[in-house]
């Protein structure tokens, strides 16, 4: 994996981010865990997620984020250098999020 330094920081990150838009929707949690483990083992360091990736589909809200959160708890200490790029909608209603 090739790495870059984020502008204005001393943080290095892999050039390839892991997208998680379908985690928990059409990819089961155990498979998501395998994907994230392999990504991390191969030098990956950015997990891309958003508050509403699968919220349009019927069922549980924020599925991908919950799967990622459970995985982070399991691997904490191992993946001190990994981080998540989280996006969320901007709204004037602070109670909406």
């Amino acid at each position: 994996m090739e790495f870059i330094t984020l502008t204005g920081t001393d943080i290095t990150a892999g050039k390839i981010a892991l997208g998680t838009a379908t985690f928990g929707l059409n990819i089961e949690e155990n498979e998501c865990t395998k994907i994230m483990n392999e990504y991390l083992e191969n030098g990956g360091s950015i997990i891309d997620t958003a508050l509403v990736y699968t919220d349009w589909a019927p069922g549980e809200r924020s599925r991908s984020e919950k799967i990622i959160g459970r995985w982070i708890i399991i691997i904490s200490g191992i993946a001190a250098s990994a981080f998540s790029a989280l996006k969320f909608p901007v709204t004037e209603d602070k109670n909406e999020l």
Side-chain angles (χ1 to χ4, degrees):
M1 167 103 39
E2 290 184 45
F3 292 87
I4 59 169
T5 301
L6 300 180
T7 304
T9 74
D10 60 353
I11 298 171
T12 58
K15 283 188 171 185
I16 300 172
L18 176 62
T20 63
T22 59
F23 278 19
L25 182 60
N26 57 4
I27 303 174
E28 296 295 324
E29 185 164 351
N30 63 336
E31 190 64 26
C32 295
T33 298
K34 290 177 188 176
I35 291 168
M36 290 185 287
N37 285 340
E38 187 166 335
Y39 173 73
L40 189 66
E41 290 167 7
N42 285 285
S45 58
I46 300 174
I47 298 174
D48 178 35
T49 188
L51 185 61
V52 295
Y53 269 167
T54 58
D55 285 359
W56 56 267
E60 183 180 12
R61 294 182 55 125
S62 305
R63 287 172 261 208
S64 62
E65 293 75 27
K66 291 174 183 175
I67 289 170
I68 294 165
R70 287 189 288 269
W71 176 74
I72 289 171
I73 290 168
I74 292 168
I75 59 129
S76 63
I78 299 170
S81 61
F83 54 94
S84 176
L86 176 64
K87 299 171 292 300
F88 56 90
V90 176
T91 177
E92 291 186 23
D93 182 358
K94 294 178 183 174
N95 296 317
E96 196 171 306
L97 293 178

